[in-house]
Amino acid sequence: MSSATQAVRATKATESSGGGVRPSRRAVVLTTGLLVIFLLYSLAPTWFLIVSATKNQTDLYSTFGLWFSSNHLGDNLQEIWAYHDGVFFRWVGNSVLYSTLGAAGSTLVSLAAGYGLSKFGFRGRGALFAVIVGASLLPSTLLAFPLYLVFSEIGLTNTIWSVLIPYFINPFGVYLGKVYADSSVPAELMEAARIDGAGELRIFYAVALRLMRTGGITIFMLEFINIWNNFFLPLFMLNGERTFPVTLGLYSWLQQAQTARDMNTLVLTGSLLSIVPLAIFMFALQKYWRSGILMGSLK
C-alpha cells in the first residue's frame, strides 16, 4: 500500500473521530475517576449538613454522621424560629441586604473604573492597572484590621457603612470590568455617539453599560457570593447581635455552644439554611455566569 493511500485513510479516520486524536481508555478512566473524587469531595460537606439537620442532639453523637436516623428536621427548624425571637432570620435578612447593596455598588464602581481604564488613554494607565492587578491578589482578611482602625477613627464602626463601603472597592472587579469593556464596547460605536453629540457620561450609561450587562451580572454574582461568605470584616466592624450577617451569627452560636448549652443542632441546621439563598441565586443567574466567564476567558 502506498504512503499516499495510508495518508488519505489516516485523514479520513481523523475526520470521522471528530477532528482530533481519541484519548486512550486509560486516560478516560483516570480523568473520570478524578472528577468523581472531586465531585464527592465537593458534595460531602453539603450532604453532612443535610443529614445532620435531621437529627436531634442524641442522634448527632450516637449515629453515623453521613446517614439518616430519626427525622427531627421540623423540630430543629421550629427551635431556630423560636430562638431569641427568630434572630437567625434577621441575620439572613442582614446578609441579603449587605450582599445586595455591596455587590450593586461594587459592580457599578468596577464597570466604571474598568471602562475608564479600557477606553481612555492617560499617563500612568499601565502602572495603575498593574497596581489594581496586584491589589486583587491581596487576601481580604489582611485588610480587615487596618480597615477597622480607619473606620474607628471616623466613627463609623458598628454601622452598615462600615461593612458596605469596603465592599464597593473591588480590584478584581475592576480588572474584570476592563476585560469586558475591551471585548464588548467597540471604539467605533463610541465615536459615533460622540459625533451625535453625546457626552462621556451619557455614552457610559446609555451605551457601554448595556453592552457590558453580561459582564456586570457576572461581577455582581461573584461579589454577592464573596460578601455573603465574608466573615472577618463583619467580625471587626460589628458588635451588636441584631446587625450580624448570618456567618457571624452562626459563629456566635458556635461560641455559645462551647461555653454554655449544646447548640450544635442549631448551628448545623442554620448552616444548611444559610446556603439555600446562595443556591437559589446561583441557579437563577447561571446562564449569565456561564456566558460572562466565557467572554472573559476568550479575552
Side-chain angles (χ1 to χ4, degrees):
M1 183 183 297
S2 64
S3 58
T5 303
Q6 293 178 349
V8 170
R9 290 186 176 180
T11 302
K12 291 182 178 180
T14 302
E15 292 176 351
S16 64
S17 64
V21 178
R22 287 184 178 274
S24 65
R25 182 177 180 83
R26 180 180 180 182
V28 172
V29 171
L30 179 61
T31 303
T32 304
L34 291 176
L35 290 175
V36 170
I37 292 173
F38 179 75
L39 177 64
L40 294 176
Y41 175 80
S42 302
L43 294 180
T46 304
W47 176 253
F48 173 77
L49 286 178
I50 294 173
V51 171
S52 299
T54 65
K55 298 181 179 181
N56 58 15
Q57 291 291 147
T58 302
D59 292 341
L60 195 62
Y61 298 109
S62 62
T63 60
F64 181 55
L66 295 179
W67 197 247
F68 301 94
S69 57
S70 54
N71 187 5
H72 296 276
L73 179 60
D75 297 334
N76 293 336
L77 293 176
Q78 186 175 2
E79 188 175 1
I80 285 181
W81 178 265
Y83 190 81
H84 278 195
D85 298 324
V87 68
F88 174 82
F89 296 97
R90 182 180 179 87
W91 294 340
V92 174
N94 290 340
S95 288
V96 172
L97 177 66
Y98 298 152
S99 299
T100 303
L101 294 183
S106 175
T107 301
L108 182 59
V109 171
S110 297
L111 291 179
Y115 173 80
L117 285 171
S118 173
K119 300 304 177 182
F120 297 100
F122 53 89
R123 182 177 298 178
R125 182 175 69 167
L128 178 60
F129 184 64
V131 170
I132 291 172
V133 173
S136 67
L137 302 177
L138 289 175
S140 60
T141 53
L142 294 180
L143 303 177
F145 184 65
L147 286 172
Y148 167 77
L149 296 178
V150 172
F151 280 88
S152 178
E153 287 294 325
I154 60 180
L156 286 181
T157 54
N158 201 33
T159 66
I160 187 175
W161 299 111
S162 65
V163 178
L164 288 181
I165 293 176
Y167 290 145
F168 290 161
I169 311 302
N170 178 17
F172 184 66
V174 175
Y175 168 76
L176 290 179
K178 181 182 182 304
V179 170
Y180 293 127
D182 288 340
S183 59
S184 61
V185 184
E188 296 81 2
L189 185 61
M190 296 174 58
E191 289 298 327
R194 293 189 183 104
I195 293 174
D196 290 339
E200 296 300 333
L201 284 177
R202 184 177 179 184
I203 293 173
F204 173 68
Y205 284 107
V207 178
L209 276 183
R210 294 187 179 184
L211 295 175
M212 299 168 65
R213 181 177 58 182
T214 300
I217 293 175
T218 303
I219 296 173
F220 178 85
M221 190 191 66
L222 294 176
E223 189 64 8
F224 186 97
I225 296 172
N226 178 57
I227 296 173
W228 186 280
N229 292 326
N230 195 303
F231 171 76
F232 282 100
L233 184 64
L235 177 65
F236 279 97
M237 296 295 186
L238 304 175
N239 55 29
E241 185 182 62
R242 307 296 290 183
T243 63
F244 285 173
V246 68
T247 51
L248 192 55
L250 290 173
Y251 175 72
S252 69
W253 277 0
L254 185 61
Q255 285 186 314
Q256 294 177 41
Q258 295 174 348
T259 58
R261 55 174 292 196
D262 193 339
M263 300 174 59
N264 287 328
T265 54
L266 284 181
V267 174
L268 292 170
T269 307
S271 299
L272 177 64
L273 292 178
S274 70
I275 67 175
V276 173
L278 278 184
I280 296 173
F281 181 76
M282 288 287 293
F283 280 114
L285 296 182
Q286 63 176 338
K287 178 181 67 174
Y288 298 100
W289 175 73
R290 290 176 181 176
S291 58
I293 293 297
L294 179 61
M295 184 189 302
S297 65
L298 289 177
K299 180 62 181 178

